[in-house]
Amino acid sequence: MEQILTLAANNLLSPIILSFALGVAAALARSDLSVPEAAAKALSIYLLFAIGFKGGVSVSAHGIDAKLGLTLLAGVILSAALPMVAFGLLNVMTKLSRLDAAAVAAHYGSISIVTFVAATSVLESSGIAAEGYMVAVAAAMEAPAILSALWLISRGGDGRRMDSDLWREILLNGSIVLLVGAFFIGWATGEEGLAEISSFVVAPFKGVLCLFLLDMGLVAGRGLRGRSGALSPGVLAFGLLMPVVGSMFGLGAGLLLGLSTGGVALMMVLSASASYIAVPAAMRVALPEANPSIYLTLSLGVTFPFNLTLGIPLYVAFATALTGA
Amino acid sequence: MQTHQAKRVEITIEAIMQSRLSEALIKAGVTGFTVLPVLGGSGRSGAWVRAGEIGRASGMVQVICIVRAENVDKLIEAAFSVVERHIGVVSIVDCEVLRAERF
């Protein structure tokens, strides 16, 4: 317990979390502080490239083992199964309609790549190694949850169609293409490639992450300020409980697969995080009647800050304690 | 200068649906339209500003088409098949254009 509290305290006082807190505070105080849209996009491109590249280099250094395929499969199963758990919890804890509950559930099966990036940064700072291919697992966990949500809706007699354009948008969205592409570049070029561009992808990483999270804080704060009325106490409680429940599924999968401490922690983070980019876009197309104020505010305004501040240190501490590292 | 009567159709729609709307308009024979970014607004789903959005899920765009009056029904039918279930506004106003052969 002491270890968890120490890790949580260290995490809360890191420049990364304090930058996020500054963004939230500025938005709640109605400051005009803002990060230009194009700059925020550039920061996210940098982070996705760097994290994908470093993951590929790590795989090239350590080689591929049988666990890679199994971990990818586990990620896909978790992504498909967690919406069922979320849907069940929402039915018990809230009065959301079937449509809204399914849309929210989809977000909790998919992942937040920014939470994943922040978690890898915390692991690096703590000197905890993780399997490089967890980047690929993150990419594989984006889409299955959307299918689960549509299946949940179709069980209620309301069949929804996924058109080919939507499939393409989900599977080839820019974040996935960049993350997986950079992963393969890192894998192909290995340590030599990293040495060539390390001054770009390694040294500035945390500083860029600080600026990006400042922007995310501003967005989350504005969302909370403008849309918090959309969340009932039950929905709010779900947004705090579901990441912990999801992380336990990730913990079980990570331990069963025999992942390293960092790998288990990242599997927990992936299972705990909720999407706020890919899934909202898919839900607007496939389930336009579902209320975006609920699912966006919940995933970005409640679960994302929770994971960033308390969740990540909690998951890392659990993974450390249970893998005996 | 001589002007000619035409119809101006303004469709404010979720950004995520814009490519689908453009495709439907082209299929319906609309030869020209303009897509504009929307900076923010307020509606049944609450107020929003583009600067506060992440991703394309909740941003909006406006698609403007100017057509001859006899083509407006075909255009509206095509547009409505895309926007029917989505957040947005469709409006039609009379306008005048200078070069009728372009519409």
Side-chain angles (χ1 to χ4, degrees):
Chain A
M1 190 62 192
E2 195 182 325
Q3 186 193 10
I4 293 175
L5 290 175
T6 307
L7 202 59
N10 289 342
N11 183 55
L12 284 172
L13 292 176
S14 71
I16 292 168
I17 302 305
L18 291 176
S19 300
F20 178 77
L22 172 63
V24 173
L28 292 178
R30 297 173 186 267
S31 161
D32 65 353
L33 174 63
S34 69
V35 176
E37 197 178 331
K41 180 77 179 165
L43 294 175
S44 76
I45 287 173
Y46 168 83
L47 291 172
L48 288 168
F49 180 83
I51 200 79
F53 188 87
K54 287 190 279 184
V57 170
S58 170
V59 169
S60 96
H62 298 104
I64 297 176
D65 53 31
K67 269 189 221 163
L68 190 153
L70 288 173
T71 311
L72 276 174
L73 181 66
V76 170
I77 293 171
L78 277 171
S79 176
L82 284 171
M84 316 293 174
V85 178
F87 190 71
L89 274 177
L90 284 164
N91 280 337
V92 173
M93 296 175 69
T94 73
K95 291 177 180 170
L96 290 184
S97 69
R98 187 179 183 85
L99 201 66
D100 283 330
V104 170
H107 291 69
Y108 284 83
S110 189
I111 59 120
S112 149
I113 199 69
V114 182
T115 312
F116 178 81
V117 171
T120 57
S121 179
V122 169
L123 288 175
E124 274 177 20
S125 302
S126 310
I128 301 172
E131 287 79 359
Y133 54 72
M134 291 307 291
V135 171
V137 178
M141 289 180 74
E142 281 261 22
I146 297 166
L147 288 182
S148 295
L150 296 181
W151 180 76
L152 285 166
I153 289 296
S154 68
R155 281 183 70 225
D158 187 1
R160 296 300 165 118
R161 195 169 56 88
M162 290 274 285
D163 61 36
S164 58
D165 284 346
L166 183 54
W167 272 117
R168 183 178 47 74
E169 284 165 14
I170 294 167
L171 297 176
L172 292 179
N173 82 65
S175 302
I176 298 277
V177 170
L178 182 57
L179 190 68
V180 175
F183 175 81
F184 280 115
I185 294 172
W187 191 2
T189 58
E191 293 287 353
E192 272 183 37
L194 181 62
E196 281 181 40
I197 59 169
S198 68
S199 59
F200 177 69
V201 296
V202 178
F205 186 81
K206 283 188 183 170
V208 174
L209 185 57
C210 285
L211 283 182
F212 186 70
L213 285 174
L214 171 71
D215 182 50
M216 291 295 294
L218 287 166
V219 173
R222 287 191 195 114
L224 271 179
R225 201 182 69 206
R227 302 181 184 133
S228 55
L231 303 185
S232 68
V235 172
L236 199 62
F238 168 85
L240 298 172
L241 177 64
M242 185 58 206
V244 178
V245 172
S247 74
M248 291 300 120
F249 281 87
L251 175 67
L255 291 176
L256 275 176
L257 289 161
L259 296 179
S260 66
T261 302
V264 171
L266 289 181
M267 195 59 126
M268 292 177 79
V269 167
L270 289 174
S271 304
S273 66
S275 170
Y276 42 78
I277 298 176
V279 178
M283 289 300 108
R284 288 312 305 148
V285 176
L287 302 177
E289 296 87 354
N291 186 349
S293 296
I294 296 173
Y295 54 68
L296 264 178
T297 312
L298 200 53
S299 63
L300 186 58
V302 179
T303 300
F304 177 66
F306 170 78
N307 276 331
L308 209 56
T309 52
L310 299 174
I312 290 173
L314 188 73
Y315 311 143
V316 173
F318 259 98
T320 306
L322 291 173
T323 54
Chain B
M1 189 173 283
Q2 187 178 1
T3 60
H4 308 270
Q5 294 289 321
K7 295 280 183 184
R8 178 185 165 106
V9 182
E10 297 174 351
I11 306 164
T12 307
I13 189 171
E14 292 169 275
I16 190 82
M17 298 304 293
Q18 185 247 308
S19 60
R20 290 167 175 81
L21 176 61
S22 299
E23 268 177 39
L25 292 177
I26 291 166
K27 269 188 192 168
V30 176
T31 54
F33 52 85
T34 304
V35 182
L36 303 175
V38 175
L39 294 178
S42 184
R44 282 166 53 187
S45 302
W48 68 281
V49 286
R50 183 168 155 173
E53 300 300 323
I54 182 165
R56 296 180 305 141
S58 40
M60 307 286 285
V61 295
Q62 191 171 61
V63 179
I64 298 171
C65 323
I66 297 177
V67 293
R68 292 166 190 257
E70 59 266 31
N71 293 334
V72 79
D73 284 346
K74 202 161 65 170
L75 187 161
I76 292 299
E77 207 172 292
F80 200 65
S81 67
V82 178
V83 306
E84 188 183 0
R85 291 163 56 214
H86 291 266
I87 297 168
V89 178
V90 181
S91 64
I92 306 164
V93 292
D94 293 323
C95 68
E96 293 185 10
V97 295
L98 297 182
R99 295 170 291 187
E101 72 280 3
R102 296 197 172 205
F103 299 94

